Amino acid sequence: MRIGVVLLSLLLCANSIVVAQRVERSNSELFSKKPYSKIIAQSGNHVFFIKSNNTFNSKSAQIRLKDTKTELVGMDTSMNQKWTVTIDLDLYAGAEIEHIVLFNQKINVFFSSIDKDGGVVNLNLLSYSMNDGAVIGAPLKIDAMRYEKRREKGLFYISQSKSNNRLLIFHRESSDGNNDFTHKDESNQDTAQEKLSFKVFGEEMQPLTDKLFPNINYIGTQSIRDLGIDNEGNAFVLTSYRPSNATPAAEYKLLKCGSKEHKLKDFKIKLTGKSINDLKVVIDNLNGNVVVG
């Protein structure tokens, strides 16, 4: 699969006007407690979204939500409510919703929970019916990583292919157990202890790929910026590197975990003398390209 870098300047044009329909109005007297909503997916004449008393991360397409009681709502395309259920995670210690995706004709809620006795953070899957919002089976443990002392949201990164036949789950594990991915030099000794985990699932959550690699060598602070997976199961993770917290990213790297390859590949993305404010990954399955723009 070829990899191309494109720098884009977008011009927004409004050729038509669409009148918005109000779905719900917040109570001005209880503004701090108003629900926030976010659309999850659309399938046919069904639209699914969630409502929470907490705000969503506006900088990421992935849902990051620390809310143990979230409403999952099903509507038709005329915004008529068909059903509503409550995602109740009160029984799970430190529960956080990592992402919600429409996969295998089910609404799949991925949430993390902490097992302090076992010293791990688990990633669990809870599935709901698209037709009536009924729970399908018991929660399943999908992935796990070492419990780190300074846990932050967003430990697990989840993406699905365009054809919805492949699902990628990625996470990192640091060498010091503090979720700190920073190096002053390119020492193999430090980065080799950091691990990158790639898990790919097919239909009915059938495990297809489970690979663990030492992290690549880098200087500065490594951050995860975006990820994607193609219809063949090849996984891509976009990382950025800053010399310090006060400076912009000086370099990006696209990491590739091939479905039929046993080594992790990395491709450097850099503009000499310039910094890149932001990058996103798009998979072009038709032409076999990965576009970074």
Side-chain angles (χ1 to χ4, degrees):
M1 177 167 280
R2 299 184 300 275
I3 299 173
V5 179
V6 183
L7 301 181
L8 302 177
S9 177
L10 300 181
L11 178 63
L12 302 180
C13 301
N15 296 322
S16 60
I17 298 176
V18 179
V19 179
Q21 178 181 351
R22 186 179 67 195
V23 177
E24 183 173 343
R25 185 179 67 178
S26 64
N27 187 336
S28 59
E29 296 178 358
L30 299 173
F31 184 80
S32 62
K33 296 182 179 180
K34 75 171 186 178
Y36 291 80
S37 301
K38 188 168 186 176
I39 293 176
I40 303 303
Q42 178 180 349
S43 177
N45 63 342
H46 297 282
V47 179
F48 308 100
F49 67 91
I50 57 175
K51 297 192 297 182
S52 170
N53 287 325
N54 297 337
T55 58
F56 297 96
N57 185 350
S58 60
K59 296 182 179 180
S60 172
Q62 181 163 330
I63 295 171
R64 308 286 194 191
L65 189 59
K66 189 174 183 179
D67 190 347
T68 58
K69 288 188 184 299
T70 305
E71 280 192 335
L72 180 62
V73 182
M75 289 188 166
D76 61 23
T77 49
S78 297
M79 303 309 288
N80 298 312
Q81 185 169 314
K82 297 296 185 181
W83 52 262
T84 180
V85 297
T86 299
I87 304 173
D88 190 346
L89 305 177
D90 273 347
L91 296 179
Y92 297 87
E96 297 183 19
I97 294 177
E98 300 283 347
H99 203 21
I100 304 178
V101 298
L102 199 64
F103 189 67
N104 290 327
Q105 298 300 306
K106 302 173 186 175
I107 303 171
N108 296 280
V109 178
F110 292 90
F111 67 95
S112 56
S113 60
I114 300 174
D115 178 6
K116 290 186 178 181
D117 293 335
V120 296
V121 178
N122 294 319
L123 180 67
N124 310 285
L125 168 62
L126 186 58
S127 298
Y128 293 83
S129 168
M130 293 170 48
N131 297 323
D132 56 11
V135 176
I136 302 175
L140 299 175
K141 178 181 173 181
I142 299 297
D143 199 358
M145 64 177 297
R146 184 177 61 179
Y147 174 65
E148 299 181 340
K149 298 175 184 177
R150 295 201 307 255
R151 185 184 183 234
E152 297 179 358
K153 288 198 303 182
L155 291 178
F156 295 97
Y157 299 83
I158 302 168
S159 181
Q160 60 192 129
S161 64
K162 194 72 174 179
S163 62
N164 288 333
N165 67 339
R166 296 291 184 269
L167 184 81
L168 166 64
I169 296 177
F170 168 81
H171 75 259
R172 297 180 297 172
E173 295 192 28
S174 64
S175 56
D176 61 1
N178 284 320
N179 202 25
D180 184 16
F181 294 86
T182 303
H183 297 293
K184 294 182 179 180
D185 56 60
E186 289 187 341
S187 170
N188 288 324
Q189 183 177 0
D190 289 336
T191 55
Q193 297 180 46
E194 297 176 354
K195 302 299 181 183
L196 306 180
S197 171
F198 295 81
K199 285 183 171 63
V200 176
F201 298 85
E203 296 180 359
E204 300 302 325
M205 292 302 294
Q206 175 189 2
L208 300 178
T209 299
D210 187 352
K211 298 180 181 180
L212 189 67
F213 298 102
N215 203 349
I216 62 172
N217 294 334
Y218 64 89
I219 298 176
T221 300
Q222 181 193 55
S223 300
I224 306 301
R225 303 303 292 265
D226 201 6
L227 72 162
I229 181 170
D230 65 17
N231 293 339
E232 303 300 321
N234 299 299
F236 302 88
V237 175
L238 181 67
T239 57
S240 67
Y241 304 89
R242 293 183 299 170
S244 67
N245 292 332
T247 57
E251 181 178 289
Y252 289 77
K253 288 184 180 179
L254 186 66
L255 312 182
K256 178 189 176 183
C257 174
S259 60
K260 299 179 181 179
E261 300 169 357
H262 300 287
K263 292 184 178 180
L264 182 67
K265 294 183 178 180
D266 65 277
F267 304 87
K268 183 182 296 186
I269 303 172
K270 188 174 183 179
L271 294 178
T272 303
K274 297 181 180 180
S275 62
I276 305 174
N277 289 335
D278 197 14
L279 286 180
K280 294 294 182 182
V281 170
V282 176
I283 306 296
D284 176 8
N285 290 284
L286 183 62
N287 298 301
N289 292 331
V290 178
V291 180
V292 182

